């Protein structure tokens, strides 16, 4: 197993290199980069925006355009004065040192931006993951035990309806009804905490924090019940129909003992082994629209805005960060297979 882990860790290097190379190559052909944006701003006579990079007085030429010397200064300002291969090599050497660079527009390093946005993403991802799995797994077990009953039918209808409703649409509806839109002012509209959060007691801070999370977490969780619940149900049904379950029942074991001592561990293998990827994925995927709707400044919104603004250091830096986490999650999935089911072997020649 150790040799397998080492091989996977070594394979992460060319995989990560390929991801960064392809993405870096694609963004070279995307129009509207920072140089083009600055040139367009200067030719429009926007001295204020030019001043943000400290070059307003020298770069501005009104409606006369930007002369070649000043254009070279702009390229040097953003690092585009060097050939493509030199820029890529510098980026990779910086990444080896875990230096993700500095944003073009935020005047902060990429690491600073990631650390600032992490609390929002962790709050959304952690509670979405915990609530979704703590509800969907018991629900899937109950559906498997009561397969074909009215309970199974109605819960299937309910979770599929919830799955069919987009989280963004549900969020709009919840804001209209409970966020002071047209009916009730029950929940806050934006942020993770209130303006007076610092003055609240410890209990008040905790309650205020969770009160702000109710609507966004509801939007994120509702759609995730269906897949996990149905997967759990089908996995349990498959195990219940196997020969070892019939043998256990024939020995006189109670149904509860058969279910939780024999079926439970085998049935949860495909579910639990997906925990690492689901846990990490919950932090960084699927929350962009929810963050926008509820004014939550997280990593999803940061990544989207960096793409729109062509903030390439943030785009590549967050991609590097997310890719490493994703590759580690895939490795943990395999490790959990072995931990849960020792019969699984990854070394060559074993099965």
């Amino acid at each position: 197993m150790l040799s397998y882990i080492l091989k996977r860790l070594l394979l992460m290097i060319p995989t990560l290199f390929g991801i960064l190379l392809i993405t870096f190559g694609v963004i070279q052909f995307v129009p509207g980069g920072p140089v083009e944006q600055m040139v367009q701003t200067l030719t429009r006579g926007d001295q204020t925006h030019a001043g943000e990079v400290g070059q307003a007085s020298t770069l501005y030429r009104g409606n006369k355009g930007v002369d070649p010397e000043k254009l070279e200064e702009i390229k040097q300002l953003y690092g585009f004065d060097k050939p493509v291969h030199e820029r890529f090599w510098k980026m990779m050497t910086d990444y080896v040192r875990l230096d993700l660079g500095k944003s073009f527009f935020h005047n902060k390093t990429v690491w600073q931006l990631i650390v600032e946005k992490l609390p929002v993403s962790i709050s959304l991802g952690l509670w979405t993951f915990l609530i979704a799995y703590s509800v969907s797994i018991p629900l899937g077990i109950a559906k498997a035990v009561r397969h074909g009953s009215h309970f199974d039918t109605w819960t299937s209808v309910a979770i599929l309806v919830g799955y069919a409703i987009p989280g963004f649409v549900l969020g709009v509806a919840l804001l209209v009804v409970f966020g002071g839109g047209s009916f009730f002012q029950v929940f806050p509209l934006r942020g993770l905490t209130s303006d007076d959060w610092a003055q609240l007691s410890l209990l008040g801070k905790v309650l205020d924090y969770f009160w702000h999370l109710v609507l966004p977490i509801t939007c994120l969780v509702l759609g995730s019940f269906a897949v996990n619940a149905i997967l759990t149900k089908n996995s349990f049904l498959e195990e219940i129909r196997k020969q070892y379950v019939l043998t256990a029942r024939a020995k006189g074991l109670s149904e509860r003992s058969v279910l939780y001592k024999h079926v439970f561990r085998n049935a949860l293998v495909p579910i639990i082994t997906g925990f690492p990827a689901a846990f990490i994925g919950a932090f960084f995927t699927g929350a962009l629209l929810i963050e926008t709707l509820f004014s939550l400044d997280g990593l999803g919104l940061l990544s989207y805005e960096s793409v729109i603004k062509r903030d390439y250091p943030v785009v590549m830096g967050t991609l590097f960060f997310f890719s490493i986490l994703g590759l580690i999650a895939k490795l943990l999935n395999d490790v959990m297979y072995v931990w849960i089911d020792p019969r699984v072997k990854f070394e060559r020649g074993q099965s």
Side-chain angles (χ1 to χ4, degrees):
M1 185 63 185
L2 181 60
S3 62
Y4 172 79
I5 294 176
L6 291 176
K7 290 178 183 177
R8 286 290 300 270
L9 290 174
L10 291 175
L11 283 174
M12 287 182 185
I13 298 175
T15 303
L16 189 61
F17 178 83
I19 293 172
L20 295 175
L21 177 62
I22 293 173
T23 307
F24 185 85
V26 169
I27 64 176
Q28 304 308 309
F29 301 97
V30 177
V35 174
E36 290 86 351
Q37 292 182 37
M38 176 60 77
V39 170
Q40 185 178 11
T41 299
L42 296 177
T43 55
R44 286 202 312 262
D46 191 346
Q47 290 177 294
T48 302
H49 182 75
E52 294 178 0
V53 293
Q55 303 290 336
S57 60
T58 59
L59 295 180
Y60 177 63
R61 291 293 182 273
N63 294 326
K64 297 180 180 180
V66 180
D67 58 65
E69 291 79 8
K70 297 306 177 185
L71 181 59
E72 289 301 318
E73 290 184 23
I74 297 174
K75 290 182 178 180
Q76 185 176 4
L77 177 67
Y78 291 112
F80 284 87
D81 57 324
K82 299 180 176 63
V84 174
H85 67 278
E86 289 186 15
R87 286 188 279 123
F88 180 74
W89 177 253
K90 182 181 183 302
M91 183 189 73
M92 295 303 299
T93 54
D94 289 341
Y95 284 2
V96 171
R97 301 192 303 268
L98 297 182
D99 179 6
L100 302 186
K102 187 175 182 179
S103 169
F104 288 155
F105 303 102
H106 293 280
N107 197 29
K108 295 179 181 178
T109 66
V110 177
W111 277 121
Q112 287 177 319
L113 290 173
I114 291 176
V115 171
E116 287 180 3
K117 313 302 181 183
L118 266 179
V120 172
S121 296
I122 290 177
S123 294
L124 294 177
L126 178 63
W127 296 114
T128 299
F129 174 84
L130 292 178
I131 295 173
Y133 273 89
S134 62
V135 173
S136 60
I137 290 179
L139 178 60
I141 295 174
K143 287 172 62 63
V145 174
R146 298 171 178 83
H147 177 61
S149 65
H150 291 295
F151 172 82
D152 182 32
T153 302
W154 286 112
T155 53
S156 295
V157 172
I159 61 177
L160 290 176
V161 168
Y163 182 73
I165 300 176
F168 186 76
V169 175
L170 178 62
V172 173
L174 291 176
L175 284 177
V176 170
V177 177
F178 299 109
S182 302
F183 298 93
F184 309 103
Q185 179 65 61
V186 179
F187 296 100
L189 296 177
R190 62 183 64 241
L192 286 181
T193 56
S194 301
D195 295 335
D196 60 343
W197 189 79
Q199 285 73 45
L200 298 175
S201 63
L202 178 60
L203 179 60
K205 290 180 179 179
V206 173
L207 293 176
D208 182 74
Y209 167 75
F210 283 108
W211 200 242
H212 280 75
L213 283 176
V214 170
L215 295 186
I217 293 298
T218 300
C219 299
L220 291 171
V221 164
L222 193 63
S224 62
F225 283 151
V227 174
N228 294 328
I230 297 301
L231 177 61
T232 302
K233 174 192 172 181
N234 292 338
S235 181
F236 268 77
L237 284 178
E238 182 180 357
E239 292 297 322
I240 288 173
R241 293 165 180 165
K242 289 185 176 179
Q243 184 64 41
Y244 75 89
V245 176
L246 297 177
T247 303
R249 286 172 175 168
K251 291 180 178 180
L253 296 179
S254 65
E255 193 66 23
R256 183 180 182 85
S257 178
V258 171
L259 181 64
Y260 290 102
K261 290 185 177 180
H262 294 77
V263 176
F264 189 80
R265 179 174 180 176
N266 293 329
L268 286 185
V269 168
I271 301 167
I272 295 179
T273 50
F275 275 8
F279 184 70
I280 294 176
F283 291 162
F284 310 116
T285 59
L288 170 60
L289 295 177
I290 302 302
E291 289 180 10
T292 304
L293 182 63
F294 292 97
S295 301
L296 300 172
D297 194 9
L299 286 172
L301 192 58
L302 172 67
S303 300
Y304 172 75
E305 290 179 346
S306 63
V307 171
I308 297 300
K309 293 180 180 180
R310 306 295 193 267
D311 196 348
Y312 296 142
V314 180
V315 173
M316 297 301 298
T318 53
L319 175 67
F320 176 76
F321 179 63
F322 296 161
S323 298
I324 289 179
L325 291 179
L327 292 171
I328 292 175
K330 293 294 185 183
L331 175 59
L332 291 177
N333 280 355
D334 292 342
V335 173
M336 288 198 69
Y337 265 112
V338 177
W339 179 64
I340 294 174
D341 190 352
R343 296 172 299 176
V344 177
K345 302 292 182 182
F346 290 108
E347 284 79 6
R348 182 175 299 178
Q350 296 178 300
S351 61

